[in-house]
Amino acid sequence: MENIEDDENDIKKYNELKSLPTTLAEILPSTDLNIRLCSDYLLKGNIVGMPTETVYGLAANAFDLKACEKIFEYKNRPFNDPLIVHVCSIEMAHSITNLNSQDEKIFGILSKKFWPGPLTIILPANLNKISKKILANGDTVGIRFPIHPIAKKLIEYSNVPIAAPSANKFCHISPVNPYHVFFDFKEYPIKILNGKKSEFSMESTVIKIEIKNDSKKIKIFRMGAIGKEDIEKVLKENNVFDFEVEALVKKINLNQNEIKELTENNSNEKNDITINQEAPGQFLKHYSPKLNAYIYSGNDIKEYVKEIKLNSSILFIDYNKILYNQFININNIKEENFIDLSKDGNPEECMKNFYDYLHKAEEIKNKDIIIFCDLEKFMKENQHKLTLLDRMWKAASFKKCIIKEN
Ligand code: TXA
Ligand code: MG
């Protein structure tokens, strides 16, 4: 596990905010004693900020409906967006699911390869154990077995499955350190375990095994830390050739009026657009920073775009120095106007930096517009590209811009 030190700016802001009378949340060092304390706290119906290798989770006892309802309340999350449940053993996963023999085989292969780790598998739920209310009234449950030692201990000590969505306000940026959790939930009585920066800093990949008549599929509901090729490879290694792996994540085709409306109002209103009907909780605007964000792919664009004057209030979220090379030293644009997801174009590094940089972008003074280098155009093909595109599109709500010098 990487052990990156806490960011000084985060610590400074935390120290300022933690003594406010309205602040109820607190960050605890992850000593064994504190993990036990958080486990007791959770078992009494309270909420814990849980570090994982992907992003931090807002954790409650999955068997305690009242506690799980607090998660929806604190996050402002609609009940049609189901929670995933975290386990610390395959037996625990079995205890809350009802698998048939066909599910069992593929589940066995995938869990053996990817668990513990950043893969969430949607399975038929044991509804005697898990309330439908946290499953968006459906009969499946997304299960994840995290590898992060603190998450594992918290589940082991609690000895119950733990429901945990990402620990951010609904539609805000996913948290990759304990301070991000604190800043979104400081007015709520939660105890946050400090597990430093999350290793992947990108959510788990969410998949569903679907067997219908003669069609056998693994559907990827949400692209994440594990790529499509990783899943295809393990199927092949296990001589499974009759399953197709299908990514449901795709670019949605908004019409020109919709793009115009979003661009002009920088609006959040299209958030009720579900990106695909099969995957609940996949909304258009998600993972968004509080700043106006646009995507730049060049000035030769036909669709509706915002025209932005090149000026020092822009923060470029660059890739492979592409925008840097184009705009540095023009109209007073300096080094400080750029952060680069990966200066040498490494997709894994881009994933690790993506949410962290969006959080940093919100904190940088005198910057009020984010412009992403269009990864769709400028990133080479690789299995993480679709994950990154998904997050970039959602962070900018698909809005594009052109840039005018002078
Ligand atoms: O990496 C992660 O998965 C993190 C950490 C904390 O484990 N958790 C996380 O949870 O990202 P959340 O709720 O923010 O995202 C889970 C996604 C949501 O889009 C939800 O709609 C979808 O998974 N999901 C959960 N249960 C589902 C189900 N039964 N069927 C379809 N989609 C489901
Ligand atoms: Mg989330």
Side-chain angles (χ1 to χ4, degrees):
M1 222 33 62
E2 276 176 285
N3 201 4
I4 293 168
E5 282 315 305
D6 294 354
D7 187 293
E8 269 175 36
N9 290 328
D10 286 335
I11 299 175
K12 197 166 154 236
K13 192 171 162 193
Y14 175 62
N15 286 334
E16 280 163 21
L17 294 171
K18 79 174 180 204
S19 52
L20 292 180
T22 49
T23 296
L24 296 177
E26 63 174 330
I27 299 176
L28 302 175
S30 289
T31 58
D32 197 58
L33 192 65
N34 281 339
I35 303 175
R36 286 189 190 277
L37 188 136
C38 283
S39 161
D40 290 344
Y41 190 66
L42 181 136
L43 289 171
K44 285 185 183 133
N46 299 299
I47 306 298
V48 170
M50 172 176 75
T52 86
E53 70 277 17
T54 56
V55 300
Y56 277 64
L58 208 56
N61 174 358
F63 292 152
D64 180 343
L65 178 58
K66 277 220 161 67
C68 291
E69 283 172 345
K70 285 184 189 167
I71 295 179
F72 288 91
E73 182 203 324
Y74 293 5
K75 268 182 73 91
N76 233 334
R77 178 173 170 127
F79 277 99
N80 65 1
D81 195 354
L83 300 185
I84 65 172
V85 175
H86 298 67
V87 297
C88 59
S89 67
I90 303 271
E91 295 72 51
M92 197 184 257
H94 278 291
S95 74
I96 51 173
T97 52
N98 280 323
L99 303 193
N100 63 37
S101 56
Q102 278 189 303
D103 289 338
E104 189 89 55
K105 181 179 167 210
I106 295 298
F107 170 70
I109 290 170
L110 294 174
S111 59
K112 190 164 174 226
K113 173 78 184 180
F114 296 112
W115 278 7
L119 182 72
T120 298
I121 310 179
I122 298 171
L123 297 164
N126 178 347
L127 297 172
N128 294 323
K129 294 278 185 65
I130 302 281
S131 166
K132 261 183 151 263
K133 191 155 182 198
I134 68 164
L135 304 178
N137 240 348
D139 45 22
T140 58
V141 58
I143 314 259
R144 179 155 125 66
F145 182 169
I147 197 167
H148 196 291
I150 301 168
K152 268 165 94 175
K153 272 194 184 173
L154 184 69
I155 309 168
E156 274 162 21
Y157 292 166
S158 307
N159 201 21
V160 291
I162 288 186
S166 53
N168 51 289
K169 287 280 188 187
F170 186 58
C171 288
H172 193 219
I173 310 161
S174 294
V176 298
N177 75 34
Y179 301 94
H180 299 154
V181 185
F182 176 84
F183 299 143
D184 266 15
F185 297 100
K186 59 185 183 310
E187 282 91 14
Y188 295 94
I190 65 173
K191 294 191 189 302
I192 306 159
L193 285 165
N194 188 346
K196 308 290 174 184
K197 183 163 182 278
S198 296
E199 187 189 348
F200 291 94
S201 289
M202 181 54 70
E203 292 98 336
S204 64
T205 301
V206 179
I207 62 160
K208 187 174 183 185
I209 305 162
E210 211 173 81
I211 303 168
K212 275 188 192 156
N213 307 321
D214 50 357
S215 142
K216 294 180 176 179
K217 283 185 177 170
I218 290 176
K219 290 188 166 172
I220 305 181
F221 278 30
R222 178 180 68 188
M223 296 297 294
I226 288 174
K228 184 169 179 251
E229 286 166 22
D230 294 327
I231 299 172
E232 285 166 342
K233 190 162 162 241
V234 69
L235 292 179
K236 235 192 217 159
E237 281 166 7
N238 284 275
N239 297 323
V240 175
F241 299 107
D242 52 350
F243 268 81
E244 185 194 338
V245 183
E246 182 189 9
L248 296 183
V249 177
K250 39 177 120 53
K251 189 174 187 177
I252 59 165
N253 288 317
L254 297 177
N255 65 40
Q256 287 297 298
N257 283 339
E258 286 172 322
I259 294 178
K260 193 166 177 192
E261 190 192 321
L262 283 168
T263 306
E264 287 178 357
N265 305 329
N266 200 41
S267 99
N268 201 2
E269 275 161 26
K270 287 271 171 275
N271 194 38
D272 55 348
I273 294 183
T274 300
I275 291 205
N276 72 65
Q277 297 306 321
E278 270 184 272
Q282 299 298 315
F283 300 105
L284 164 62
K285 183 165 169 147
H286 218 147
Y287 320 114
S288 287
K290 289 170 188 152
L291 304 175
N292 287 342
Y294 301 91
I295 301 163
Y296 176 76
S297 43
N299 279 346
D300 51 342
I301 271 195
K302 291 183 194 72
E303 63 215 72
Y304 183 85
V305 289
K306 177 97 173 168
E307 191 176 301
I308 291 179
K309 262 191 121 98
L310 188 61
N311 70 72
S312 58
S313 77
I314 295 172
L315 181 71
F316 289 105
I317 300 197
D318 204 358
Y319 167 72
N320 214 2
K321 292 183 154 180
I322 287 167
L323 302 182
Y324 181 90
N325 289 334
Q326 190 170 346
F327 296 117
I328 186 76
N329 296 333
I330 304 177
N331 289 18
N332 214 15
I333 294 293
K334 305 190 182 108
E335 296 279 340
E336 59 167 52
N337 294 94
F338 300 90
I339 42 182
D340 200 317
L341 290 169
S342 171
K343 284 189 175 157
D344 52 10
N346 176 330
E348 266 100 23
E349 193 186 355
C350 287
M351 292 218 294
K352 277 189 191 191
N353 286 333
F354 192 86
Y355 288 132
D356 195 33
Y357 282 10
L358 287 185
H359 281 284
K360 287 203 164 74
E362 284 189 337
E363 296 300 320
I364 296 177
K365 298 251 168 1
N366 307 322
K367 299 280 173 285
D368 48 27
I369 294 177
I370 292 173
I371 297 182
F372 286 101
C373 173
D374 189 354
L375 299 174
E376 187 178 14
K377 180 166 173 184
F378 295 108
M379 182 180 250
K380 59 181 188 284
E381 289 309 315
N382 70 85
Q383 66 163 342
H384 300 304
K385 186 169 174 177
L386 190 54
T387 309
L388 285 158
L389 291 184
D390 177 58
R391 305 311 194 267
M392 179 192 72
W393 287 329
K394 286 172 178 169
S397 300
F398 290 95
K399 304 188 306 286
K400 282 198 169 183
C401 67
I402 54 171
I403 296 175
K404 290 282 172 209
E405 296 169 21
N406 292 312

